[in-house]
Amino acid sequence: LGIPGVCGFGEPDAATVFFDDSGKPLFGFNFSFGVGEVLVSRRLSDEELVLTRQLAVRLARDATIERVVRLLEDSLVPDQDRLRRFLSAWMSLEVFVNTNFAAYEKRFWAGLSAGLAPPLCERYLQRIREVMGDKYRLTDKFVVISAELDPSHADADVATFEHAKRIRDDFAHGDIIDEANLPLNEVQGLVRRLLRLHITRP
């Protein structure tokens, strides 16, 4: 979360070691070929290291987002197929929304009613809130959270969310999807940014 340029985790090298009857090691190397990627590494700045330490402490204190973080980490493991990584990123986003919606809904309604002349307007908003209580769809919940966490990016975030949700729904309904063009990076980036904003909010 503290280093936006991180795009995955992986082992730098791996080998299979066999032993003969006398216990002496016989070394064999594993070779695998797949889609090529070009990665550019750089030294982390002091600011990134400080921010990463601060975020790690906050993450450790918040047990409610453990599943969100675990699923996000799963999506960043490069030796899994792209579809599985996309689904892990999507589930991370979905769990984040469902887990945190109630708190952001409360803030959202409080913000709406803050400048109203009581009691009639407040009563009207309260009635709408009661009626909507069990009628929110996943996208509705995301809109509220996005508007509360990052209003300047809310429109673009909702568009990313809806696009990813359509693909996930198509897959769930058995439709053929283009795995090469899954919005994996976009969903990962969205989860990472919202999660970072969530754990650093006042």
Side-chain angles (χ1 to χ4, degrees), residues 134-192:
D134 60 349
K135 294 180 174 57
Y136 289 106
R137 298 172 303 151
L138 184 63
T139 302
D140 300 327
K141 293 178 180 181
F142 179 80
V143 168
V144 169
I145 291 175
S146 180
E148 286 296 308
L149 278 178
D150 197 357
S152 64
H153 289 94
D155 288 339
D157 289 348
V158 170
T160 298
F161 182 90
E162 290 178 330
H163 175 60
K165 185 177 185 304
R166 276 194 300 273
I167 294 173
R168 180 266 181 204
D169 291 347
D170 288 347
F171 175 74
H173 296 139
D175 295 341
I176 296 173
I177 59 172
D178 182 2
E179 294 189 30
N181 290 313
L182 292 171
L184 172 60
N185 296 336
E186 292 86 343
V187 176
Q188 287 173 333
L190 184 56
V191 177
R192 291 168 73 172

Side-chain angles (χ1 to χ4, degrees), residues 65-196:
I65 55 176
E66 186 272 331
R67 278 197 309 154
V68 176
V69 173
R70 180 173 45 79
L71 288 164
L72 178 59
E73 286 176 350
D74 288 346
S75 80
L76 290 165
V77 177
D79 60 355
Q80 299 184 75
D81 66 75
R82 192 169 176 83
L83 176 58
R84 179 172 175 170
R85 294 176 66 197
F86 168 74
L87 292 174
S88 292
W90 171 259
M91 287 187 292
S92 176
L93 181 56
E94 190 171 344
V95 170
F96 175 77
V97 169
N98 285 324
T99 303
N100 294 288
F101 173 68
Y104 286 103
E105 181 204 18
K106 187 175 180 181
R107 288 174 52 171
F108 176 78
W109 284 108
L112 278 182
S113 60
L116 296 179
L120 193 56
C121 292
E122 178 67 30
R123 182 177 170 188
Y124 178 72
L125 278 180
Q126 182 60 33
R127 177 63 183 145
I128 293 175
R129 187 176 180 187
E130 289 170 2
V131 169
M132 284 299 297
D134 60 349
K135 294 180 174 57
Y136 289 106
R137 298 172 303 151
L138 184 63
T139 302
D140 300 327
K141 293 178 180 181
F142 179 80
V143 168
V144 169
I145 291 175
S146 180
E148 286 296 308
L149 278 178
D150 197 357
S152 64
H153 289 94
D155 288 339
D157 289 348
V158 170
T160 298
F161 182 90
E162 290 178 330
H163 175 60
K165 185 177 185 304
R166 276 194 300 273
I167 294 173
R168 180 266 181 204
D169 291 347
D170 288 347
F171 175 74
H173 296 139
D175 295 341
I176 296 173
I177 59 172
D178 182 2
E179 294 189 30
N181 290 313
L182 292 171
L184 172 60
N185 296 336
E186 292 86 343
V187 176
Q188 287 173 333
L190 184 56
V191 177
R192 291 168 73 172
R193 180 162 45 82
L194 294 181
L195 190 54
R196 184 168 59 246

